[in-house]
Amino acid sequence: MSRTNESDIPEESTVGKAGKAAAKKAGKHVAKKAGRKIVQKAAAGVATKTGGAAAISIGWPAVIAVLVAVIILIGLAFTFIILVATSGDEPASTDGVTWGEGISEIGENEIPAEFIPVYKEAEEKYGVPWNLLAAHHRVETVFSTIDPMISPVGATGHMQFMPCTWVGWNHPSCSGLGKGNISESELTDPEAIKQYGGYGVDGDGDGKADPNNLKDSVFAAANYLASNGASEGNIREAVFAYNHADWYVEEVMGFADSYVDGYVAIDTGSQGESGVEVVDVGREWIGNSQYVFGGGRNQSDISRGRFDCSSFVHWAFDQAGINVGPLGSTSTDTLKHLGKPIAKRDMKPGDLVFFDTYKRDGHVGIYIGDGEFIGAQTNKGVSIEDMTQGYWEEKFNGRVKRL
């Protein structure tokens, strides 16, 4: 995790509260002063034009008129208060991500059962969806199975925090990527973390905030994601803050989608016919498209033929009337969970084929028959490639899925 969201601007909550208090005070002062002047002016006018008992007899209508004027002015003043106090409060933007609450079959099979209560406890405290925490855990350390749990650049623990993000970037040794020169005692000291403005959390209440403690690490991840908008519905924005890479966002979102109810494998019941249609519609982009990592997830990209491998697959199946999941979160890792596994020898046109490129199942295409597949290729855009020889034979991992 890299350094993010550094700013000299005060928190909105502080600015908002101060603004509202000042506006309220100012509004009351304006209303009180203006009301007093109106009453004084009216009284003076009555006294000038009339006297004695006559003043009393004709003064009440004037007084009533003054009171009405005061009420109107006070109403206008409080309208002013509301406008000023709320001028900086815009509704929190959301990215339209909605998830079911129950765990899916994929989640039950993939997530270690003992971790789920920890994710859900963190969700309750920080308002960050439990499946999002599970997805980060899966992407960062494959549910704590990597050994050692420290990256080449120094990210450490179950959720791979840079030490400076954990203890705080105000630590005097913090710069660059955020490895810093932080002692173990400082790294795990809640008081030091508070002093330096870090995100580390003592989740289990043992007096230490340790990135190598599962509960501490998950709670810290929830704290970080919540601070970057996840608790307000800005899920993708928060995931991007965790790791500034589009591929990372797509991978995390893909796992998060797959871990909850509503995410199911698709069986069209007519694979042969729809498979051929999927192959045919994809051909239109050959020679006039471009590979863009993270592209193809809005209409502007699609109209210009800007795809990555998974968004091209999404587009092709969508043309055939087959839903493979939300466009914004479809990735190779979500696609590989769909449909029915097929043996390599039984492949048919329209089947999905997967390749190990920059990672396991890092690339996906659509089989078209005769040992060839169509897909969005890094250097060519949409093209047809031979997977029986050369690079694609070497990278094909044997995973085939039929939707």
Side-chain angles (χ1 to χ4, degrees):
M1 181 188 295
S2 59
R3 183 178 188 178
T4 59
N5 297 333
E6 294 297 309
S7 175
D8 295 325
I9 300 173
E11 292 183 6
E12 186 280 330
S13 59
T14 304
V15 176
K17 289 178 181 178
K20 290 174 184 177
K24 185 175 182 180
K25 184 176 180 180
K28 286 183 176 179
H29 178 71
V30 169
K32 184 176 181 181
K33 187 175 181 180
R36 185 167 58 247
K37 285 188 175 182
I38 289 173
V39 172
Q40 289 173 347
K41 186 174 180 180
V46 169
T48 300
K49 295 180 180 179
T50 61
I56 296 175
S57 64
I58 66 172
W60 282 113
V63 170
I64 292 172
V66 168
L67 290 175
V68 171
V70 169
I71 291 170
I72 292 173
L73 187 60
I74 290 174
L76 292 172
F78 275 99
T79 300
F80 169 77
I81 293 170
I82 293 170
L83 289 173
V84 171
T86 62
S87 61
D89 295 344
E90 297 180 1
S93 61
T94 62
D95 50 23
V97 176
T98 56
W99 283 312
E101 295 183 0
I103 187 169
S104 67
E105 183 178 352
I106 293 171
E108 289 179 343
N109 291 334
E110 185 167 314
I111 304 171
E114 64 270 23
F115 295 161
I116 294 176
V118 179
Y119 304 144
K120 291 190 173 182
E121 189 175 344
E123 176 185 37
E124 184 175 349
K125 181 171 183 179
Y126 293 100
V128 176
W130 72 267
N131 57 307
L132 184 65
L133 296 170
H136 276 282
H137 196 182
R138 167 63 178 81
V139 173
E140 293 293 348
T141 60
V142 194
F143 299 116
S144 304
T145 60
I146 66 170
D147 186 24
M149 283 193 294
I150 185 166
S151 78
V153 296
T156 187
H158 300 271
M159 302 296 271
Q160 294 290 279
F161 273 84
M162 294 302 293
C164 289
T165 305
W166 184 270
V167 80
W169 281 86
N170 291 323
H171 190 279
S173 73
C174 285
S175 63
L177 293 177
K179 186 175 182 179
N181 185 19
I182 302 170
S183 67
E184 181 70 20
S185 60
E186 280 186 306
L187 185 69
T188 60
D189 181 4
E191 289 302 316
I193 292 169
K194 182 178 179 180
Q195 177 185 350
Y196 295 123
Y199 291 92
V201 172
D202 176 15
D204 62 1
D206 66 354
K208 295 175 65 177
D210 185 357
N212 291 302
N213 174 294
L214 176 69
K215 194 168 185 179
D216 292 356
S217 194
V218 170
F219 273 49
N223 181 27
Y224 186 88
L225 291 165
S227 298
N228 283 281
S231 59
E232 299 172 354
N234 300 316
I235 304 295
R236 298 180 71 87
E237 179 182 314
V239 176
F240 187 81
Y242 205 98
N243 186 329
H244 286 182
D246 290 334
W247 68 262
Y248 182 86
V249 176
E250 300 310 324
E251 192 160 351
V252 169
M253 294 299 291
F255 282 115
D257 280 343
S258 70
Y259 290 157
V260 288
D261 284 342
Y263 191 89
V264 296
I266 298 169
D267 181 4
T268 67
S270 57
Q271 296 88 355
E273 181 182 352
S274 63
V276 173
E277 184 180 356
V278 166
V279 170
D280 290 341
V281 297
R283 293 179 187 272
E284 73 172 77
W285 292 112
I286 296 175
N288 63 345
S289 58
Q290 177 186 2
Y291 180 93
V292 177
F293 195 93
R297 288 172 172 79
N298 58 66
Q299 193 54 50
S300 176
D301 275 357
I302 292 171
S303 65
R304 291 183 290 167
R306 293 160 54 91
F307 297 102
D308 63 13
C309 63
S310 53
S311 67
F312 170 74
V313 166
H314 185 286
W315 175 85
F317 277 89
D318 186 60
Q319 303 310 297
I322 301 171
N323 177 18
V324 296
L327 175 59
S329 58
T330 294
S331 67
T332 56
D333 285 303
T334 64
L335 291 170
K336 73 181 184 182
H337 291 299
L338 299 181
K340 176 183 177 182
I342 300 295
K344 179 180 176 180
R345 65 179 179 274
D346 296 325
M347 290 190 296
K348 292 181 179 180
D351 290 342
L352 295 182
V353 287
F354 292 82
F355 305 84
D356 293 344
T357 51
Y358 72 97
K359 65 170 186 173
R360 174 75 173 167
D361 298 310
H363 191 72
V364 62
I366 303 170
Y367 186 65
I368 66 173
D370 297 324
E372 295 181 324
F373 78 99
I374 186 172
Q377 324 300 355
T378 305
N379 298 323
K380 300 180 181 180
V382 176
S383 65
I384 293 174
E385 302 294 329
D386 187 350
M387 54 191 288
T388 65
Q389 60 181 346
Y391 178 83
W392 293 113
E393 179 188 29
E394 177 187 341
K395 297 299 182 180
F396 179 47
N397 63 22
R399 186 191 299 278
V400 182
K401 286 300 194 72
R402 182 168 299 161
L403 305 187

